[in-house]
């Protein structure tokens, strides 16, 4: 693999200074690289970037993205599929870990254990959306929100129980806040814990900390979680399948998944495929630099 | 899915009596079913059954098997590939959970985290090969061997350590024995714990129990285990990927995996593929009864 260039909406000259020899280009120069780049890894956000960027770029290049608005995936798939097919390219959409590796494990466990129930837990980790939400509350200077799975519930599922769980029973939300000077902390707390969609359905804790503490202990982007399926075969025989991630850096891990899927995008395209693909359409063998013979010998 | 018939080397009449309406046929009748059966699920053993049966049957039908002699997979693949290609059929070889789901997770985690180290632990579960070995020791009337992963080592890996582990440090072997009347228990114990290949590289315990205890507590076939990869991204950021199974019945779960892969074998064949395939070659989407649209909407 070779990094050819990084395309940016900022001034590429400014980026280059800190770029360690990496070539930066303005996004407007993208067309000049047609035929020179095997796969474009799209790093934009799902709200407004990717719905525009993926169809546009998929007309010119193979792409991989991490579009993660679950409810809009079907519509996104159709749009990208049309664009990539038109350009004769392959677009791997919605990869990363959820959607991505977690989705794969939900599918796999359901296909093997059709009688069963699955559970997805996220965390402990930073939720960007919820952190943004608390930072918009009046009087909040800085804030981080951690999603925390309820360990006692995970233990019950691992032991073979298949409880019906409300939102509140699966995850806690922990907020760490630096308040503006003179701000009403009780007012901030109450606004957060009662915020609809984001916090009102959860048990939420709000802890006020100093700016120094925020810098010292809350700069990382850890995340992770579990997909657990508890099923039965035969006459009530319990079978449990579990996949878990424990990540010190969510963005670095997500990027690593996208890089592995870019290998598959290139190979699929080289072999004549076109259109949008998801993780469900791609055999794992295409993710590895090893040949099929090496994989059978070393990893099967 | 429909179960058309079960083929046996025994007398099919004898099987039918206990078969709950299932059709049993002698293995010699197999050719008469050409064109009537989409996929044959091969349930033979890896030592002597499958090396003969898979190539023979792959000339006539799509097949799925659980060939699990890791060292012989490359050779087995080539033989089956030739036979299945000649017959115009698809043969999914070496599926189940190891080889199978564990192999998939070794590949996936290695492709995403190329800098890292992976660990496979088996158990707690019954090892058929080791149970057979102890039952061949003079004076042993009945015996079961459990492979037990060393929990303290798993905890270290989950916490981010990447230790170099000897065979002895990863698993214990626990043997439960019913001795013949008058047999020398110390002699049995010593023969077992010093048995080369099977036990001499492990810490092995031998516990003598009564025949009643054996029947009451050791008739199940539980198994399971973990594949854990501990890797780094960026400048030493720790990332841990883990897949685990906790199975009350190893054979029932393995069968469930083979059934899911039989769906893929049929679909691949229907779409024109031929030859041998492994789990590395098959997209997960083909395992599910759901359509690609349903999968994207419900599980991605």
């Amino acid at each position: 693999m070779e990094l050819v260039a990084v395309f940016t909406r900022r001034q590429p000259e400014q980026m280059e200074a800190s770029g360690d020899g990496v070539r930066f280009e303005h996004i407007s120069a993208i067309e000049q690289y047609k035929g020179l780049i095997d796969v474009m890894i799209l790093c934009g956000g799902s709200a407004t970037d990717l719905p525009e960027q993926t169809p546009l770029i998929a007309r010119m290049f193979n792409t991989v993205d991490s579009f993660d608005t679950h409810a809009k995936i079907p519509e996104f798939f159709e749009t990208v599929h049309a664009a990539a097919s038109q350009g004769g390219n392959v677009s791997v959409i919605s990869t990363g870990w959820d959607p991505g590796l977690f989705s794969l494990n939900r599918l796999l466990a359901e296909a093997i254990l059709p009688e069963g129930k699955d559970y997805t837990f996220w965390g402990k980790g930073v939720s960007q959306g919820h952190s943004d939400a608390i930072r918009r509350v009046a009087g909040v200077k800085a804030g981080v929100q951690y999603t925390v799975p309820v360990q006692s519930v995970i233990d019950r599922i691992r032991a073979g129980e298949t409880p019906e769980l409300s939102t509140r029973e699966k995850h806690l939300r922990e907020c760490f806040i630096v308040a503006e000077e003179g701000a009403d902390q009780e007012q901030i707390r109450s606004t957060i814990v009662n915020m609809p969609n984001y916090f009102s359905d959860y048990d939420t804790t709000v802890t006020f900390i100093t700016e120094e503490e925020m810098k010292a202990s809350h700069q990382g982007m850890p995340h992770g979680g579990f997909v657990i399926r508890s099923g039965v075969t035969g006459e009530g025989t319990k079978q449990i399948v579990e996949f878990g991630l424990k990540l010190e850096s969510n963005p670095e891990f997500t990027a690593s998944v996208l890089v592995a899927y870019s290998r598959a995008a290139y190979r699929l395209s080289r072999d004549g495929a076109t259109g949008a693909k998801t993780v469900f359409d791609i055999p794992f063998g295409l993710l590895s630099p090893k040949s099929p013979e090496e994989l059978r010998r070393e990893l099967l």
Side-chain angles (χ1 to χ4, degrees), chain A residues 23 48 87 118 219:
Chain A
R23 174 191 288 262
T48 55
D118 60 41
Q219 295 306 298

Side-chain angles (χ1 to χ4, degrees), chain A residues 144-166:
Chain A
V144 173
Q145 195 266 188
Y146 295 94
T147 306
V148 184
V150 177
Q151 188 61 45
S152 59
V153 164
I154 296 177
D155 292 342
R156 283 169 60 196
I157 296 167
R158 284 183 181 152
E161 288 184 51
T162 50
E164 291 292 334
L165 298 171
S166 66

Side-chain angles (χ1 to χ4, degrees), chain A residues 68-204:
Chain A
D68 68 356
T69 313
H70 291 261
K72 293 190 175 166
I73 285 175
E75 175 193 340
F76 185 72
F77 179 90
E78 296 304 334
T79 309
V80 175
H81 187 63
S85 301
Q86 194 193 321
N89 297 311
V90 168
S91 282
V92 179
I93 68 156
S94 300
T95 185
W97 58 275
D98 196 357
L101 309 191
F102 275 19
S103 323
L104 283 164
N105 279 279
R106 283 189 286 262
L107 190 166
L108 180 69
E110 182 186 275
I112 293 168
L113 300 172
E115 293 177 51
K117 196 165 159 50
D118 60 41
Y119 300 89
T120 300
F121 291 91
W122 296 275
K124 182 182 175 176
V126 174
S127 163
Q128 279 300 96
H130 288 79
S131 296
D132 287 347
I134 62 178
R135 286 192 288 257
R136 284 193 299 265
V137 171
V140 170
K141 191 170 180 186
V144 173
Q145 195 266 188
Y146 295 94
T147 306
V148 184
V150 177
Q151 188 61 45
S152 59
V153 164
I154 296 177
D155 292 342
R156 283 169 60 196
I157 296 167
R158 284 183 181 152
E161 288 184 51
T162 50
E164 291 292 334
L165 298 171
S166 66
T167 300
R168 193 179 295 275
E169 289 171 298
K170 289 181 68 185
H171 297 92
L172 309 173
R173 298 201 174 275
E174 294 179 352
C175 306
F176 292 87
I177 306 272
V178 180
E180 304 275 9
E181 243 187 85
D184 179 345
Q185 297 196 350
E186 182 42 37
Q187 174 68 36
I188 291 173
R189 200 198 64 78
S190 159
T191 305
I192 291 173
V193 304
N194 295 309
M195 199 183 290
N197 300 318
Y198 286 91
F199 293 101
S200 60
D201 293 339
Y202 295 87
D203 289 336
T204 302

Side-chain angles (χ1 to χ4, degrees), chain A residues 190-292:
Chain A
S190 159
T191 305
I192 291 173
V193 304
N194 295 309
M195 199 183 290
N197 300 318
Y198 286 91
F199 293 101
S200 60
D201 293 339
Y202 295 87
D203 289 336
T204 302
T205 63
V206 177
T207 307
F208 290 92
I209 60 176
T210 64
E211 217 159 347
E212 291 67 41
E213 232 179 306
M214 178 64 77
K215 277 193 187 126
S217 309
H218 300 282
Q219 295 306 298
M221 294 284 278
H223 219 310
F226 312 89
V227 176
I228 309 178
R229 187 168 181 91
S230 181
V232 291
T233 57
E235 297 180 3
T237 310
K238 291 248 180 214
Q239 316 275 21
I240 297 174
V241 180
E242 177 169 344
F243 180 79
L245 296 172
K246 195 173 159 188
L247 310 175
E248 277 188 3
S249 166
N250 180 2
E252 286 183 18
F253 186 79
T254 300
S256 299
V257 177
L258 267 67
V259 169
Y261 274 94
S262 71
R263 190 178 283 120
Y266 166 70
R267 288 169 166 173
L268 286 167
S269 171
R270 182 197 62 190
D271 295 346
T274 60
K277 310 283 174 193
T278 75
V279 293
F280 297 156
D281 306 313
I282 298 175
F284 282 14
L286 297 181
L287 305 177
S288 172
K290 293 180 176 170
S291 71

